[in-house]
Amino acid sequence: MREAVARPGEEVVAVSEGQASGQASSAVTPPAGRPLLSLALASMMDAVDAHSGAVYLRAPGEPVLEMAVMAGLPRAFAAPWERVGLNAHVPVADAVRERRLVWVSGEEEMARSYPNIAMALPYPFALAAVPVATQDTVYGSVFVTWPGSHAHDLSEPERGLLTGACGRLALRLDRATQGGDPVGPEPDLLATPAASVTPGTLGSMEATRMVARLPYGLCSLDLHGRVSFANPAAAELLGVPVNGLLGVELWESVPWLNDPVYEDRYRAALISRHVTSFAALKPPGDWLSFRMYPGPDGLSVRISPARAVAEMGRSGRQPGDGGPSLMTLSQVVSLTGALTEAVGVRDVVRLVAGEIAPAVGSQAVALLGSRGGRLHVLGLRGYPDPQVVERFDGLPLRARTPGTRALTSGVPAFLRSREELERLYPAQPRMEDGMAAWAFLPLVASGRPVGVCVFAYAEPHPFPTEERAVLTSLSGLIALALGRALLYDVKHQVAHGLQAALLPPSLPSLPGIETAARYLPATQGMEIGGDFYDLVPAQEQAAAVIGDVQGHNVTAAGLMGQLRTAVRAYTAVGQAPEEVMRSTNRMLIDLGSDLFASCLYLRLDPAAGSAVMARAGHPPPLLRGPDGKVRVVEPAGGPLLGVDASAAYPGTGIALAPGTLLALYTDGLIESPGVDIEDSLADLAERLAETGDRPLDALADGLVRDSATARERLDDVALLLLRVPGD
């Protein structure tokens, strides 16, 4: 039988073992005006020995859960989740949507299932979220937490106590709502000092004298981190008088402790309920050791000189020399930003190897994925012989290796030495990769496994609990980046396949005309666009066309394919250049597309030494004469295709004497931020004059390579060169 515990001024709610299934009487209701949510939460936490918790209520008229009361920890710890969307992937929202108890057993499962929470709170703790709902109405949800030492599974009695208490709370909320007195937010429940204890004392004169005689510092912090007691030794070590410490957060009263890393240790102790320690440098050169002992009302802190650290400092070494250090908050923020910018899988591999691996002391990294029931090596860095790792590419997922196990089970594996690897996985081929310890971290994004990140170490590595928590939390970040990168790479392959299918695989041979062409996608986005070129052989006169559909995406590429097909069809039926342009313009308007296109069309007659040109808003071609001089050809033309259904595109004749070279291009070749387009065109003409005698393929490569947009292209580039051989 669990006895009821009554605090001063609180309702007594008795829960017996026989009521563990949640069938305790729902008739117990707090007297009018009593804090319903606070009492229910306190009773719930006491019943299951939880150390913190909160009640969320649905916001009126919004698909949002709002925190109504929190207990056991400062609300600031849960600040990112004070208001939670019902569709958010967090435990309290999942509990409401799915009408079930959500159990998170510890930091590893938190990192696997809720990586965003694990990144903000990378501490060992367990959590349960339970919906507060009647059969007809969902009022909200409750979460409670336990120290990381809680059993891996939530017991059936604990489940029954939580679900039963939340069911009773839902009935009380239902009666309050029907009675016209809906329940709202209440003051948070934080433990306060006993009434008989005066700030700055321990409750008795003798105890105070005893503590004052201790050679090391002692102080007490409440749940907000404020100092409620400090002995003289603590004040002397910190360099702040006792009255300057009391009632103030420790890191505010002691300037050299005002560092997020030290505040993080305080949070870790409160949330995990584990003894936590750190060393801090008191200027100019004294190291102090802080050891935090958590309790329900706050922390007891022991402060003493850190002799070992001080001796290292005097010998010129710094803490952490000779071993890996965990990532700081600034490193995590920097990494998050970098991974957000990662586009493809290669970017993710490069960032993980270049930024995360050095921070955690790893010497090599591999990213593994799966396809068709087999393991695939997505990328690796740092291995003396990469081929040793690449041997695992194509390994069936049913094979018993740490990589396949992490991928299929979602459970990380920390192998501290080669002996441990061979003992746990005797059937695996021997890993002759030059490494001595490994961390296999499953990468789970949006609830599905996307891969495994392997950190390899050149020496045996112990993987303490705190480091495992950090690595597991980081795996959530890597998983999100890798999931996006894999999706991008798939889209990228599809886009490039589409682009290759829409552009001519090779240029046909035209009698009396030498040809060469180049296409380069934009370097931003999907690297696909609407620029196109084509040569259309005909029985009497061939045709050349170049165009640019607005945009550089899949939509532009698809429309480009339609335009290219239309131009070919109108050419095949013998339409004149001006008619080809008019017909293509009407076709584009009939398609109802919001995109426009520029186009330049030539009907070539090399035997007669002439051509007829029609232009729709396209950059003018460059003509290099037999004498090597280059001029801009400005044919008459009309507006962009797709603008005006009645537009006309008159033809313009030009002479093509032997040795003449025509350069047709899209604006991506000459447009560059900060550069005047007239200057770019003049530069292109100058390079064409200087190098126009070269073979066409070499000339095309040079014009593209030496352009102002060679490295950073905001737009696609198409180039089509036509030369009439000299006599």
Side-chain angles (χ1 to χ4, degrees):
M1 171 78 72
R2 175 183 292 277
E3 296 182 357
V5 178
R7 297 183 177 90
E10 292 188 4
E11 169 199 12
V12 176
V13 181
V15 183
S16 68
E17 293 179 359
Q19 295 168 333
S21 63
Q23 299 177 356
S25 171
S26 62
V28 181
T29 305
R34 302 294 295 279
L36 170 62
L37 301 179
S38 302
L39 291 174
L41 180 60
S43 298
M44 203 180 310
M45 291 168 54
D46 182 68
V48 295
D49 291 324
H51 75 277
S52 72
V55 179
Y56 285 80
L57 296 178
R58 291 195 62 171
E62 296 183 80
V64 170
L65 294 172
E66 292 183 326
M67 186 182 292
V69 64
M70 187 168 183
L73 288 174
R75 183 175 288 228
F77 284 19
W81 307 282
E82 284 216 36
R83 281 173 56 88
V84 174
L86 286 179
N87 291 324
H89 183 50
V90 295
V92 289
D94 288 351
V96 167
R97 286 197 314 274
E98 301 169 15
R99 290 273 194 131
R100 67 176 181 88
L101 185 150
V102 175
W103 167 243
V104 183
S105 61
E107 70 271 25
E108 292 183 359
E109 186 172 345
M110 184 69 77
R112 185 166 59 248
S113 302
Y114 302 98
N116 291 337
I117 296 178
M119 183 181 69
L121 301 174
Y123 315 119
F125 68 96
L127 178 146
V130 190
V132 177
T134 63
Q135 185 173 359
D136 302 320
T137 307
V138 177
Y139 287 97
S141 61
V142 169
F143 81 75
V144 293
T145 68
W146 294 264
S149 55
H150 189 281
H152 186 270
D153 295 320
L154 188 66
S155 67
E156 286 304 319
E158 288 173 321
R159 288 178 178 270
L161 288 167
L162 290 173
T163 55
C166 288
R168 293 191 295 275
L169 177 58
L171 292 175
R172 295 170 188 168
L173 293 173
D174 196 49
R175 286 196 294 271
T177 301
Q178 293 176 5
D181 187 22
V183 175
E186 297 174 1
D188 291 345
L189 294 175
L190 289 176
T192 57
S196 60
V197 177
T198 303
T201 73
L202 289 180
S204 75
M205 187 59 67
E206 182 57 34
T208 303
R209 291 195 188 100
M210 178 193 71
V211 172
R213 290 192 294 266
L214 292 175
Y216 48 81
L218 284 179
C219 64
S220 295
L221 309 183
D222 65 14
L223 294 176
H224 287 289
R226 296 183 295 244
V227 179
S228 56
F229 169 83
N231 70 349
E236 181 179 356
L237 287 168
L238 295 174
V240 179
V242 171
N243 58 7
L245 294 170
L246 297 179
V248 183
E249 292 179 347
L250 185 60
W251 36 90
E252 289 188 5
S253 58
V254 184
W256 45 271
L257 284 178
N258 191 8
D259 187 307
V261 173
Y262 304 144
E263 186 178 350
D264 176 74
R265 297 297 81 208
Y266 144 78
R267 289 172 176 256
L270 283 184
I271 294 176
S272 68
R273 293 298 172 94
H274 289 171
V275 176
T276 305
S277 61
F278 65 89
L281 176 64
K282 175 188 175 183
D286 296 327
W287 286 91
L288 297 181
S289 171
F290 293 78
R291 193 164 182 82
M292 299 181 176
Y293 300 86
D297 299 334
L299 298 172
S300 298
V301 184
R302 172 176 168 166
I303 309 170
S304 60
R307 293 185 179 86
V309 177
E311 289 172 3
M312 279 199 305
R314 285 193 292 270
S315 65
R317 297 177 59 199
Q318 297 297 325
D321 284 355
S325 60
L326 297 181
M327 302 190 76
T328 65
L329 179 62
S330 60
Q331 286 175 304
V332 172
V333 172
S334 173
L335 172 66
T336 303
L339 287 175
T340 301
E341 296 177 359
V343 177
V345 172
R346 285 188 298 178
D347 294 332
V348 177
V349 174
R350 174 177 54 80
L351 286 168
V352 172
E355 298 197 25
I356 301 183
V360 300
S362 170
Q363 283 71 51
V365 170
L367 284 185
L368 311 177
S370 65
R371 186 171 64 248
R374 293 184 177 274
L375 194 71
H376 285 276
V377 178
L378 302 176
L380 49 87
R381 295 285 191 282
Y383 287 95
D385 184 2
Q387 293 183 352
V388 173
V389 182
E390 290 170 353
R391 285 188 308 153
F392 290 85
D393 192 77
L395 191 71
L397 293 183
R398 63 177 179 274
R400 193 173 185 275
T401 68
T404 56
R405 177 181 177 274
L407 186 63
T408 55
S409 69
V411 178
F414 299 96
L415 304 173
R416 295 169 292 186
S417 64
R418 180 171 295 277
E419 291 74 21
E420 186 172 28
L421 170 67
E422 295 175 352
R423 176 172 56 83
L424 295 176
Y425 297 92
Q428 173 181 289
R430 184 173 176 82
M431 282 282 289
E432 299 292 352
D433 60 354
M435 299 296 155
W438 301 265
F440 290 82
L441 306 174
L443 304 178
V444 180
S446 301
R448 64 181 184 87
V450 296
V452 175
C453 179
V454 184
F455 287 114
Y457 300 79
E459 302 293 335
H461 197 80
F463 295 111
T465 301
E466 189 175 65
E467 184 175 357
R468 294 186 183 208
V470 171
L471 289 173
T472 307
S473 298
L474 288 173
S475 70
L477 283 176
I478 301 170
L480 294 175
L482 181 60
R484 290 193 306 267
L486 289 169
L487 182 61
Y488 174 86
D489 283 351
V490 169
K491 290 182 177 179
H492 191 266
Q493 293 172 4
V494 172
H496 274 257
L498 173 63
Q499 187 88 64
L502 295 177
L503 289 173
S506 61
L507 295 177
S509 298
L510 299 181
I513 296 287
E514 296 177 0
T515 61
R518 295 294 183 270
Y519 171 81
L520 295 176
T523 55
Q524 299 181 7
M526 290 299 298
E527 298 187 8
I528 182 175
D531 288 16
F532 68 98
Y533 60 85
D534 203 1
L535 288 179
V536 186
Q539 292 182 351
E540 298 181 359
Q541 295 178 336
V545 61
I546 192 167
D548 182 1
V549 178
Q550 176 188 7
H552 44 91
N553 50 37
V554 174
T555 302
L559 187 59
M560 171 266 284
Q562 292 175 299
L563 288 183
R564 178 171 168 249
T565 301
V567 169
R568 275 184 162 264
Y570 298 138
T571 300
V573 298
Q575 289 189 357
E578 54 269 26
E579 287 297 325
V580 171
M581 297 302 287
R582 279 200 295 267
S583 299
T584 306
N585 178 53
R586 287 194 297 268
M587 184 273 296
L588 182 57
I589 291 175
D590 291 343
L591 288 176
S593 172
D594 294 331
L595 301 180
F596 307 132
S598 69
C599 190
L600 182 66
Y601 180 89
L602 285 85
R603 183 63 56 85
L604 303 168
D605 190 353
S610 64
V612 178
M613 185 182 309
R615 183 166 69 127
H618 199 80
L622 296 178
L623 186 147
R624 185 181 189 271
D627 57 359
K629 294 182 179 180
V630 176
R631 65 183 177 91
V632 178
V633 181
E634 289 281 3
L640 294 169
L641 301 176
V643 174
D644 180 4
S646 61
Y649 302 91
T652 300
I654 59 172
L656 295 180
T660 299
L661 172 66
L662 270 176
L664 316 181
Y665 55 91
T666 57
D667 54 10
L669 185 66
I670 58 174
E671 286 188 352
S672 181
V675 179
D676 186 89
I677 191 170
E678 296 296 332
D679 293 338
S680 294
L681 185 57
D683 179 67
L684 178 62
E686 182 179 350
R687 285 185 284 117
L688 188 63
E690 293 174 353
T691 61
D693 291 329
R694 301 172 64 186
L696 279 193
D697 282 326
L699 176 61
D701 290 337
L703 292 177
V704 170
R705 181 184 62 247
D706 298 333
S707 69
T709 61
R711 293 185 179 180
E712 290 292 329
R713 294 184 300 277
L714 301 180
D715 199 358
D716 310 43
V717 171
L719 174 67
L720 179 60
L721 299 178
L722 308 171
R723 176 189 281 161
V724 180
D727 294 335

